[in-house]
Amino acid sequence: NAGVTQTPKFQVLKTGQSMTLQCAQDMNHNSMYWYRQDPGMGLRLIYYSASEGTTDKGEVPNGYNVSRLNKREFSLRLESAAPSQTSVYFCASTRDLLGGQFFGPGTRLTVL
Amino acid sequence: KQEVTQIPAALSVPEGENLVLNCSFTDSAIYNLQWFRQDPGKGLTSLLLIQSSQREQTSGRLNASLDKSSGRSTLYIAASQPGDSATYLCAVHNAGNNRKLIWGLGTSLAVNP
């Protein structure tokens, strides 16, 4: 039982490059989330998926897209990376929108 | 608009001390409150979740209390150990249509041997 897994763990991009962050959970959870964490800003919600087939914007969705591929997987795509997207990205999942959240280990992204 | 505040931002204590971390929130209409632990360079680990109808939850040396009317929660750590050194975050789920978590900035705890 791996919980929530994220790939890659680290990534360096140049401005304008694109990439997809992958997230998978094996807890049969319905809801999944993408956060970014920046010093002094705390955790900010980018997008979430209440259930398979649905996605909604969070606080800071600009510059990102998401796909809920199936119940297990929720990916985050940066189409044209910018230095302001340098951050640590966390994926989380919950049984439902009001349940306790379980987090992945994070992806450290640097955009030069 | 719900705001979550954690004071102090940082705390350093000697090993063995009992300590209290504070979390306050501005809107008492919450569904639940959750405490997390984050080790440097790692993800978040859920410690305790308190439903709005509960007053406290316990897990081992940890006890979390909730007072909705005053907008406060405390995380009590008994007999602190160096392994407790981490950042502790609290987050609240608002009642109603907004089902997203509102996060505090955390308290960075150092327990010194």
Side-chain angles (χ1 to χ4, degrees):
Chain A
N1 188 337
V4 180
T5 57
Q6 291 183 237
T7 55
K9 285 187 170 51
F10 302 92
Q11 185 72 48
V12 178
L13 293 177
K14 294 180 180 176
T15 297
Q17 287 185 317
S18 62
M19 77 162 296
T20 300
L21 281 64
Q22 306 286 354
C23 173
Q25 52 90 11
D26 62 2
M27 295 175 283
N28 201 34
H29 283 170
N30 291 307
S31 303
M32 297 184 74
Y33 309 79
W34 277 106
Y35 291 95
R36 60 178 290 174
Q37 187 177 39
D38 304 287
M41 302 287 290
L43 277 156
R44 292 182 291 171
L45 183 65
I46 305 171
Y47 271 94
Y48 68 102
S49 170
S51 60
E52 186 179 356
T54 69
T55 60
D56 284 287
K57 295 178 180 179
E59 301 170 68
V60 288
N62 291 345
Y64 306 95
N65 285 301
V66 291
S67 296
R68 183 74 184 266
L69 304 170
N70 48 55
K71 190 171 185 179
R72 290 187 64 248
E73 298 172 290
F74 188 38
S75 63
L76 178 72
R77 182 160 179 84
L78 287 70
E79 290 291 352
S80 179
S84 61
Q85 294 179 305
T86 293
S87 186
V88 181
Y89 291 84
F90 289 104
C91 176
S93 70
T94 60
R95 183 191 73 242
D96 54 47
L97 283 177
L98 294 172
Q101 296 207 352
F102 292 81
F103 280 76
T107 295
R108 291 186 175 274
L109 175 66
T110 300
V111 183
L112 302 174
Chain B
K1 179 185 173 187
Q2 179 75 270
E3 293 182 1
V4 177
T5 304
Q6 293 186 248
I7 294 173
L11 184 62
S12 181
V13 300
E15 181 177 3
E17 209 167 273
N18 300 324
L19 57 98
V20 173
L21 306 181
N22 297 297
C23 173
S24 61
F25 46 95
T26 54
D27 186 347
S28 62
I30 66 170
Y31 188 82
N32 59 41
L33 182 146
Q34 198 166 3
W35 282 94
F36 294 85
R37 168 186 173 137
Q38 184 174 27
D39 294 285
K42 306 282 187 173
L44 283 73
T45 301
S46 178
L47 297 173
L48 291 163
L49 184 148
I50 312 177
Q51 302 293 350
S52 63
S53 58
Q54 297 175 318
R55 296 285 292 182
E56 65 180 280
Q57 283 280 0
T58 298
S59 176
R61 293 183 294 108
L62 304 179
N63 176 279
S65 67
L66 175 64
D67 183 343
K68 271 201 325 176
S69 60
S70 65
R72 290 183 181 179
S73 176
T74 61
L75 179 67
Y76 176 82
I77 302 176
S80 58
Q81 303 169 358
D84 295 328
S85 298
T87 297
Y88 291 80
L89 297 104
C90 73
V92 300
H93 257 128
N94 282 341
N97 291 329
N98 182 354
R99 301 291 181 95
K100 296 181 282 289
L101 279 178
I102 310 298
W103 293 85
L105 293 181
T107 294
S108 177
L109 172 66
V111 180
N112 305 305

